[in-house]
């Protein structure tokens, strides 16, 4: 999940080219047996020739999106939803309303088998929150509580601050942390390295007796804007309140500490968790003409955090996935395999909706030809990130060559994502968009295993 710059109609258009072109053509490259010596398997040359026959289809998709009625449709659809509903936090009425609206929209678009699949999701609310530095001077700090954090007592927590730059430093200074608020001022090298402090900072601070933790926002640039996100507690470790602070405040407290100043902060958080709420993954399809039981899945998540509209994370990804089906329908195309759109719920809480979807459908994993997810920000793409066999990759490169007119042809590695990793681990090929601003997001599992492969 990545937050980024404002969406533009042009950006959405290029993403649509990529999604629709690949979605319509890639079933040629699906399955675990791509080509070989068996009697039912085709040679690579035969597959290459069939892909080339789709050149006119690719051109028709480009023309409809650039010059036709679909020119800015996905942008306008998204703007209407976020303006109407606003943020869509897991367990909120806003998310429930957004799901209802999207179900109506997909039916109104003439898509097939539109339905909702029940999911139990976390329900957490941040409540009122504040942080004030009392010593060495009075300073009100901007904070955002982290998802699933507990709250403070009503009077708050007032304690001295211990500033550290790494987990290693925290361990070395463990005795100094007891009864204090730990402030992490970890340097930003890349997203996947820095986000570990958001995910695990509260647990590590609690292990050494801290009362709360404040984490430098995981960002390469700041205009005094704290970032929120999910964090995780650990069984057997006391739960302590945790929030993100701005890069500027983390740096300031680090400077103060280096001068020997005593820093005291009062933290108040009204965060509270409620019983799991009822929600839904939203599903729509275009049924395959030849192999309807086989599925090509495209997806994005409909939920968001509560402090923005969720237009980038991940409204854009959800709506370009919907637009892929709309364009194919508008052109009167019928893919050989079923094209399935899934709008996930509660992705921000750790891929809850996609996990439950996998549990419901995993018995049919052999029927999944390809899984796609857009959740790295809707920026101008240069190609696709792909996870699959070497033979499948060669075919993917042929498919992407059809998008040469719009110069979106790259096929890179690591096409995984929080919501599709379950299927990729079962051997299903995976895809996600790639562009200059799309790097820097690792899956939840990669974060927990210290993935540091890509910069934000």
């Amino acid at each position: 999940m990545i937050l980024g710059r404002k969406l533009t109609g042009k950006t959405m258009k290029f993403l649509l080219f990529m999604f629709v072109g690949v979605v319509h053509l890639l079933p040629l490259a699906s399955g675990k047996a791509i080509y070989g010596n068996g009697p039912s398997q085709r040679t690579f040359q035969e597959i290459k020739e069939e892909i080339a026959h789709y050149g006119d289809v690719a051109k028709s998709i480009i023309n409809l999106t650039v010059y036709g009625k679909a020119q800015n449709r996905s942008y306008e659809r998204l703007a209407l939803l976020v303006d109407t509903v606003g943020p869509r936090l897991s367990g909120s009425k806003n998310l429930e309303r957004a799901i209802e609206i999207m179900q109506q929209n997909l039916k109104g678009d003439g898509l097939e088998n539109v339905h909702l699949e029940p999911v139990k999701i976390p329900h957490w609310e941040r409540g009122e929150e504040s942080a004030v530095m009392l010593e060495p001077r009075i300073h009100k700090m901007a904070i955002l509580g982290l998802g699933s954090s507990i709250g403070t007592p009503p009077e708050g927590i007032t304690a001295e601050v211990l500033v550290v730059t790494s987990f290693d430093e925290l361990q070395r200074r463990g005795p100094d942390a007891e009864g204090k608020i730990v402030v992490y001022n970890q340097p930003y090298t890349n997203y996947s390295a820095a986000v570990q402090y958001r995910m695990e900072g509260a647990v590590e601070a609690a292990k050494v007796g801290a009362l709360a933790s404040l984490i430098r926002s995981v960002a390469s640039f700041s205009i005094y804007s704290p970032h929120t996100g999910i964090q995780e507690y650990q069984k057997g470790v006391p739960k302590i309140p945790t929030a993100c602070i701005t890069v500027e405040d983390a740096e300031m407290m680090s400077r103060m500490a280096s001068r020997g100043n005593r820093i005291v902060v009062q933290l108040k958080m009204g965060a509270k968790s409620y019983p799991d709420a009822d929600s839904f993954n939203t599903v729509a399809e275009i049924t395959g003409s030849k192999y309807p039981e086989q599925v090509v899945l495209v997806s994005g998540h409909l939920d968001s955090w509560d402090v923005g509209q969720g237009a980038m994370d991940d409204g854009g990804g959800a709506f370009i996935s919907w637009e892929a089906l709309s364009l194919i329908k508008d052109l009167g195309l019928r893919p050989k395999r079923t094209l399935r759109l899934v709008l996930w719920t509660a992705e921000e809480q750790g891929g809850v909706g996609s996990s439950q979807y996998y549990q419901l459908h995993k018995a049919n994993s052999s029927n999944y030809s390809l899984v796609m997810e857009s959740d790295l920000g809707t920026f101008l793409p240069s190609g696709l990130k792909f996870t699959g066999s070497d033979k499948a990759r060669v075919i993917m490169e042929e498919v992407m060559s059809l998008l040469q007119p719009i110069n979106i042809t790259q096929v890179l590695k690591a096409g995984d994502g929080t919501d599709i990793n379950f299927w990729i681990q079962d051997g299903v090929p995976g895809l996600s968009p790639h562009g200059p601003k799309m790097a820097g997001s690792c899956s939840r599992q990669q974060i927990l295993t210290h993935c540091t492969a890509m910069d934000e």
Side-chain angles (χ1 to χ4, degrees):
M1 68 217 78
I2 289 290
L3 297 174
R5 63 174 172 81
K6 179 183 177 182
L7 290 170
T8 65
K10 184 176 180 181
T11 296
M12 298 292 280
K13 276 192 286 185
F14 279 106
L15 281 160
L16 291 171
F17 291 150
M18 182 173 58
F19 262 69
V20 179
V22 174
V23 162
H24 189 71
L25 300 172
L26 191 70
L28 297 168
S30 64
K32 298 178 183 178
I34 303 299
Y35 56 89
N37 300 321
S40 63
Q41 295 178 347
R42 296 177 294 167
T43 66
F44 172 68
Q45 185 60 34
E46 289 172 332
I47 295 174
K48 182 177 179 179
E49 290 172 359
E50 183 172 352
I51 292 172
H53 290 158
Y54 281 90
D56 289 341
V57 172
K59 290 178 183 177
S60 68
I61 293 169
I62 291 172
N63 289 335
L64 175 61
T65 312
V66 176
Y67 307 110
K69 67 179 183 180
Q71 195 169 37
N72 288 303
R73 182 170 59 187
S74 60
Y75 177 85
E76 292 164 358
R77 286 171 165 176
L78 173 60
L80 179 60
L81 180 80
V82 298
D83 291 347
T84 301
V85 178
R88 304 170 298 280
L89 184 64
S90 176
S92 69
K93 293 294 184 182
N94 279 14
L95 177 57
E96 184 179 328
R97 185 183 181 199
I99 291 170
E100 292 173 355
I101 290 173
M102 288 307 301
Q103 183 184 25
Q104 295 169 3
N105 288 343
L106 297 174
K107 287 181 177 179
D109 198 28
L111 299 179
E112 302 161 7
N113 194 24
V114 177
H115 65 279
L116 304 179
E117 297 188 0
V119 180
K120 284 288 189 182
I121 63 173
H123 181 189
W124 172 87
E125 297 180 4
R126 72 174 60 253
E128 296 294 325
E129 53 190 16
S130 66
V132 180
M133 185 172 68
L134 303 177
E135 297 181 28
R137 66 179 177 90
I138 302 294
H139 171 62
K140 185 176 180 180
M141 298 191 294
I143 68 165
L144 283 176
L146 294 177
S148 78
S149 175
I150 64 169
T152 65
E155 68 276 12
I157 294 173
T158 301
E160 189 175 345
V161 162
L162 174 69
V163 182
V164 297
T165 59
S166 67
F167 289 138
D168 288 342
E169 182 182 357
L170 178 63
Q171 292 304 312
R172 291 195 305 270
R173 303 178 63 186
D176 298 333
E178 187 169 358
K180 295 181 181 177
I181 296 174
V182 169
V183 169
Y184 292 97
N185 185 36
Q186 74 282 354
Y188 186 92
T189 54
N190 58 60
Y191 179 84
S192 45
V195 78
Q196 298 173 47
Y197 290 87
R198 192 194 76 203
M199 294 287 291
E200 306 168 18
V203 167
E204 295 305 315
K207 287 178 180 178
V208 291
L211 300 179
S213 64
L214 297 173
I215 294 93
R216 169 177 167 154
S217 288
V218 182
S220 57
F221 179 78
S222 176
I223 50 173
Y224 203 70
S225 51
H227 294 201
T228 192
I230 195 65
Q231 66 88 37
E232 291 188 340
Y233 291 121
Q234 190 177 105
K235 188 176 181 180
V237 178
K239 296 180 179 181
I240 61 174
T242 183
C244 271
I245 58 175
T246 66
V247 172
E248 292 88 340
D249 282 342
E251 289 283 1
M252 178 183 68
M253 286 190 281
S254 183
R255 293 192 301 270
M256 289 175 171
S258 69
R259 299 182 191 117
N261 295 136
R262 181 174 185 266
I263 307 169
V264 175
V265 167
Q266 181 186 64
L267 175 67
K268 291 185 178 181
M269 294 175 59
K272 186 176 181 181
S273 291
Y274 297 87
D276 285 354
D278 293 323
S279 188
F280 302 91
N281 290 319
T282 308
V283 182
E285 295 179 341
I286 295 177
T287 306
S289 61
K290 189 173 182 179
Y291 309 110
E293 75 286 353
Q294 297 182 25
V295 175
V296 173
L297 184 148
V298 297
S299 68
H301 67 86
L302 200 55
D303 66 298
S304 73
W305 287 105
D306 56 324
V307 291
Q309 288 183 312
M312 180 70 77
D313 188 11
D314 182 36
F319 274 69
I320 63 172
S321 299
W322 170 20
E323 188 72 13
L325 274 69
S326 287
L327 290 172
I328 288 176
K329 177 185 66 65
D330 290 349
L331 289 167
L333 302 173
R334 176 69 64 172
K336 292 180 180 179
R337 292 161 176 82
T338 294
L339 177 56
R340 180 176 297 167
L341 164 70
V342 183
L343 305 179
W344 311 111
T345 188
E347 185 277 343
E348 297 290 3
Q349 312 304 314
V352 176
S354 58
S355 174
Q356 293 186 41
Y357 177 90
Y358 173 74
Q359 293 301 321
L360 184 64
H361 296 278
K362 65 180 180 180
N364 298 317
S365 64
S366 61
N367 282 334
Y368 280 72
S369 300
L370 175 79
V371 287
M372 300 178 69
E373 175 180 6
S374 175
D375 191 17
L376 299 183
T378 37
F379 301 95
L380 180 66
S382 59
L384 287 174
K385 297 194 294 182
F386 177 74
T387 297
S389 69
D390 291 340
K391 290 182 177 181
R393 179 176 296 277
V394 171
I395 296 173
M396 171 60 67
E397 290 170 351
E398 291 297 319
V399 172
M400 292 298 288
S401 70
L402 296 178
L403 301 182
Q404 180 60 49
I406 52 174
N407 196 29
I408 301 176
T409 58
Q410 289 186 330
V411 180
L412 298 98
K413 297 180 179 180
D416 53 353
T418 298
D419 293 315
I420 60 174
N421 279 345
F422 309 101
W423 303 98
I424 292 173
Q425 290 166 6
D426 279 354
V428 180
L431 286 172
S432 63
H434 174 79
K437 295 290 186 179
M438 292 178 178
S441 176
C442 288
S443 69
R444 183 166 173 267
Q445 184 58 41
Q446 287 175 316
I447 289 170
L448 296 178
T449 54
H450 307 285
C451 165
T452 57
M454 295 176 289
D455 292 338
E456 185 175 45

